[in-house]
Amino acid sequence: MSKEMTGASALVKSLELAGVEVMFGIPGGAVLPAYDPIFDSKIRHILVRHEQGAGHAATGYAQVTGKPGVCIVTSGPGATNLVTPLADAAMDSVPLVVITGQVPSAAIGTDAFQEADIRSITMPVTKHNYLVTDPDDIPRAIAEAFYIANTGRPGPVLVDIAKDALQKMTHFNYPKNIEFAGYKPQIKPNDQSIRDAAALIAQSSKPVFYVGGGVIKANASKELLKLAELVGAPVVTTLMARGAFPDSHNLHLGMPGMHGTVAAVTALQKSDLLITLGARFDDRVTGKLSSFAVNAKVIHADIDPAEIGKNRFADVPVVGDLAHTIAALIPALQEEFKKSRPDLTAWLRQMFSLRTTYPLGYNQPEDGSVSPQYVIERIGAIGGPNSIYVAGVGQHQMWASQFVKYENPRTWLNSGGLGTMGYAVPAAMGAKVGAPDTTVWAIDGDGCFQMTNQELVTCALNNIPIKVAIINNESLGMVRQWQTMFYEGRYSNTSLDSKRIPDFVKLADAMGCVGLRCERTEDVDSVINEAMSINDQPVVVDFRVFRDAMVWPMVAAGTSNDEIMIARGLAPDWDSQEL
Amino acid sequence: MSQHTLAVLVENSSGVLARVASLFSRRAYNIDSLAVGPTEDPNISRMTIVINVEGHALEQVMSQLYKLINVIAISEMQTNSAVHRELLLVKVSQDHREKVMEIVERYAAKIVDEAESSITIEASGESAHIAGLLEALTPMGIKELVQSGLIALERGDAALSDRTLSAQGISTTHSLIPQADYQN
């Protein structure tokens, strides 16, 4: 006979059975009944300062551990504050399970205090969501939510629970099995599609691996390394895939896209075969779609069939989990290569030549101020490839993707799809909770930092010693860069004056963190080392950097990748390249 | 742009219509008509969606629809291999009663209500048939009309519900082994 308990206890017990170790949240009226059994649970609850922080923290936790991140908040504004992290997680395929309190079922639809129809609001930004009004339904909803969040293409799932469902008694009954009439992600790829893909690769003389975040989600980095070395083709890793393939590997050309390397962008453009693994032909990668890789055939492997053919026709679609897909491709290719094997020497020579001729780089500011790229490069060098780096959104994010060298998956976290400013501090908090023995650096902008820095209080109080580098150029830097390039330098509302106000060192101190400041190039290493030596408190470093640094290379929005610029008004010297 | 008719089996759960509508809205797909109703299985509803899409976008629409957790099966209803029907109720003036009666007969329609100055006609048929009837009635003075969305059913012995995973004997049951199951 199952035990009788409140819906709230059934919720907490279900979360325990689902394997939850940590959740991020804030109590409030409608969710209050759940917080009583949370008080006694072995699940660690981290009390955040804003619900958005809970959401991004859960994302950071999920991206580092591969397990669903969990948050719990109240109805109305508590729930609506989670809309941004949900949209962020949906875009970047992050498994989250979000519990929201709802007003009592009898009050639903009456515009009750703190009522918001969060199920309707979040339909477009969740993989699935639930409204539960009967306590008997709670265990099944939770079990299904975890299953949906972390199978197939991962994504966020919201479970909205009416207050009376939490208060009423129920016989606890956790489902032994989950059944869906329709939802059945395809894990193993179709054999024929694997053979077709292998045949195409064996005919290609200019293949390139176009690697997306799906490889990291599928934990398929080891398989990818084997496959890439077997084929011997160049590899590009998208913003979401940095770390999926070692930066130090000779076949790696870097990141493609709007701020990608000349070699990576050109490899895609000039290729005759894109071996697309867990990537989605995002506009920031393709540039003007009609002129993207016009001579390339496409193998598109993804667990989500809806991605295939969405933006670009796939000659060979392969639906399945990438770990299975890549593992299956290896023997299929070994067979194909027995028959014929194209010579990739000329293709590799061209791409390596581009990599050598147009490496990522930056100029030291002429006014003697600190180069933001240098700061980020040094953080990466001193932090090393075993640290985790978490960026906000903007110039510093692009520089962190370019100048930190990634060797391992799940060491680079950022908001790629939604481009959520304010992501870094709470996501770094979640990452550190998920990997407490690893150094976690948030590389943030002064604009981003001022959106969500209150979670440093949470970090200080809960022994979550993250390190935050504020790349302080006292501007909304990426917007300013566009104003420089496309609006004749008319800097409308992009000046933040954050070298004057706020005082980030005092702010850090007030929040229980160590605050440091760095204003000279010669101090950069020593300040980073000082931050690295502090492990019992969060550290915030105000790096005051050159204001007018720009992110290069750049493919302007809506233009062709052929029009990549390596500096303002400067295109690569194509005539000198044999392409 | 071309018109396609999709039959979609969905779980009969609250919010499922909103999910489909929300999907079409956010992906900017054009819905021409939508009809929803119960099926032989009380747990399953059937939607018939008529959409206007270009070429290969149809496959994309179907893939996106299939991503909704509550969607069980989708099939395109082809013009030749499925019966398509629309229902029309139209109120016309009594002024040209004889002509109206003639049209009603010609289109195999029915008079369902007569009032002092108007006649209400019911008709069902393929879209072209309904459109023809409306064209004929327009000069008679249409006072009000209402049309259902199109519904469609495949000809022959086949049933869409046969094509669901469980009907094919494919297990849709997932064993819940806590933790290990979430490692992907």
Side-chain angles (χ1 to χ4, degrees), chain B residues 75-169:
Chain B
S75 180
E76 186 182 6
M77 298 285 108
Q78 305 286 354
T79 319
N80 301 332
S81 59
V83 181
H84 291 66
R85 288 292 178 270
E86 276 176 34
L87 178 66
L88 166 77
L89 292 171
V90 57
K91 200 177 279 185
V92 294
S93 156
Q94 289 269 19
D95 296 350
H96 309 280
R97 189 181 163 80
E98 273 186 30
K99 279 189 186 168
V100 168
M101 287 307 183
E102 187 197 312
I103 294 167
V104 164
E105 196 162 325
R106 181 148 40 96
Y107 282 87
K110 272 197 299 193
I111 308 287
V112 289
D113 188 52
E114 278 204 65
E116 202 176 310
S117 63
S118 66
I119 311 168
T120 302
I121 299 160
E122 174 196 315
S124 73
E126 292 186 359
S127 306
H129 178 80
I130 299 294
L133 171 61
L134 278 176
E135 201 181 337
L137 286 173
T138 300
M140 308 298 112
I142 292 175
K143 293 185 157 185
E144 190 177 16
L145 72 83
V146 58
Q147 269 181 280
S148 72
L150 181 119
I151 56 171
L153 201 64
E154 273 182 299
R155 296 180 191 277
D157 293 331
L160 179 51
S161 53
D162 293 342
R163 271 182 257 150
T164 59
L165 295 169
S166 47
Q168 288 173 1

Side-chain angles (χ1 to χ4, degrees), chain A residues 288-306:
Chain A
K288 191 178 165 193
L289 194 58
S290 60
S291 68
F292 173 69
V294 289
N295 297 318
K297 289 197 171 176
V298 172
I299 294 168
H300 195 169
D302 203 290
I303 199 160
D304 179 1

Side-chain angles (χ1 to χ4, degrees), chain A residues 132-153:
Chain A
V132 181
T133 54
D134 180 340
D136 297 349
D137 295 339
I138 291 174
R140 174 163 292 277
I142 296 299
E144 289 186 0
F146 277 89
Y147 183 77
I148 292 170
N150 214 23
T151 52
R153 179 180 184 170

Side-chain angles (χ1 to χ4, degrees), chain A residues 35 118 145 225 251 292 313 375 480 569:
Chain A
Y35 270 81
I118 199 64
L225 185 63
L251 290 171
F292 173 69
F313 175 77
V375 171
R480 186 179 157 92

Side-chain angles (χ1 to χ4, degrees), chain A residues 56-115:
Chain A
H56 293 315
T59 288
Y61 177 86
Q63 293 286 62
V64 161
T65 62
K67 294 192 281 188
V70 181
C71 24
I72 179 163
V73 302
T74 197
S75 65
T80 56
N81 277 342
L82 269 170
V83 171
T84 299
L86 285 169
D88 184 276
M91 282 283 239
D92 288 345
S93 311
V94 181
L96 298 186
V97 173
V98 168
I99 318 293
T100 51
Q102 181 54 278
V103 300
S105 50
I108 290 175
T110 65
D111 304 316
F113 177 66
Q114 292 195 328
E115 183 186 359

